[in-house]
Amino acid sequence: MTASPGSIRSRRRADRQPLTAGTRPLSLRRLNRWQAECLREDLADLYTESCDTPPGGEYRGRKDFLRRLTRDTWRPGFALLTAQAPDLAGYAFGFPVPRDGTWWSGFRGPLPPEVAQLTASGQVFAISGMVVRPSGRYHGLADRLQERLLADHRALLGATLVDRTHRAACAGFRSRGWRDIGLVYRPPGPTVLRVLVLPLGEGKAAEPGASRTMRDPAAAGASGASGARHARRNHRMSSEVTGVSSEG
């Protein structure tokens, strides 16, 4: 689970390739916490628009999102990446996971050794929110946002928490190579979140001595043509991760 300089450079070269929404170019922009605060209402608008919220739940969903965003902007190392064309088309934000391991509080069972080691070395970055406008014009934007955000912070492991009842979102992350390593229980209330991680760098899928808990159970029995069908099915379930904001 180590990223070579070549793999980082290749991601950066890919980042320089132009993004388009139909015939209109998309631009990626990095924002700090102060700029994020100025944009918070626009971010909440897109989140509300992108979420499949039950009737009457829009206000509560928006309020919860703004609460989480405000909390995250004050975390050390917070970063926000937006995509505009020229209107806001999507965004992703997150922060480095603290070395003391407190972010993993409530994890059920022992934390995989690889994850614990990378956390202690400060090489894990948590993506706590990712939203892409629900339109076929933005196909592939979620991939670009997550790749750029993680590459900018030289992370060797991406991490995110998703409500385990949000199956489409979990399937969308898995289709992009994220692996399910367990569950986190967070008070107050019976909040249960699924923990997904993304190892970065060349050779990440076949490292000697890799822990079983770092493998995606959804892919454990899939190989060859059946594995490809499974990946396509997950991709259709959530061709773009939209309206996902995890508890961090």
Side-chain angles (χ1 to χ4, degrees), residues 1 179 202-210 215:
M1 291 176 59
R179 303 174 186 178
E202 296 173 353
K204 62 188 178 185
E207 283 197 357
R215 299 173 186 167

Side-chain angles (χ1 to χ4, degrees), residues 55-248:
E58 293 85 357
Y59 174 77
R60 180 177 178 181
R62 180 188 179 91
K63 183 178 179 181
D64 288 345
F65 169 80
L66 287 171
R67 174 183 56 80
R68 293 193 298 266
L69 177 64
T70 299
R71 177 198 60 197
D72 286 350
T73 57
W74 288 102
R75 294 181 186 269
F78 170 84
L80 167 68
L81 185 65
T82 64
Q84 295 175 296
D87 297 328
L88 187 64
Y91 56 86
F93 59 87
F95 48 87
V97 171
R99 294 171 182 256
D100 61 9
T102 53
W103 190 77
W104 301 104
S105 176
F107 187 84
R108 186 174 185 180
L111 195 65
E114 299 91 337
V115 176
Q117 291 167 9
L118 289 174
T119 299
S121 62
Q123 295 174 309
V124 183
F125 189 87
I127 294 181
S128 55
M130 182 158 60
V131 179
V132 172
R133 189 175 297 280
S135 169
R137 294 182 302 163
Y138 305 114
H139 180 72
L141 179 55
D143 290 315
R144 186 62 62 88
L145 286 169
Q146 76 172 26
E147 289 169 7
R148 171 70 75 85
L149 192 59
L150 294 171
D152 283 351
H153 290 80
R154 301 179 181 273
L156 295 187
L157 188 72
T160 194
L161 305 177
V162 180
D163 190 319
R164 69 172 178 178
T165 64
H166 198 158
R167 296 181 180 179
C170 291
F173 276 108
R174 285 175 180 146
S175 72
R176 290 173 174 79
W178 291 72
R179 303 174 186 178
D180 184 345
I181 63 168
L183 299 173
V184 160
Y185 292 80
R186 291 283 170 84
T191 303
V192 182
L193 303 167
R194 192 162 295 285
V195 185
L196 300 166
V197 298
L198 180 67
L200 303 170
E202 296 173 353
K204 62 188 178 185
E207 283 197 357
S211 169
R212 285 188 176 184
T213 55
M214 287 292 290
R215 299 173 186 167
D216 184 354
S223 61
S226 63
R229 286 195 299 271
H230 178 83
R232 287 195 297 270
R233 182 169 61 251
N234 279 352
H235 190 74
R236 285 195 300 270
M237 290 176 65
S238 182
S239 59
E240 291 293 343
V241 178
T242 58
V244 174
S245 184
S246 61
E247 293 284 352

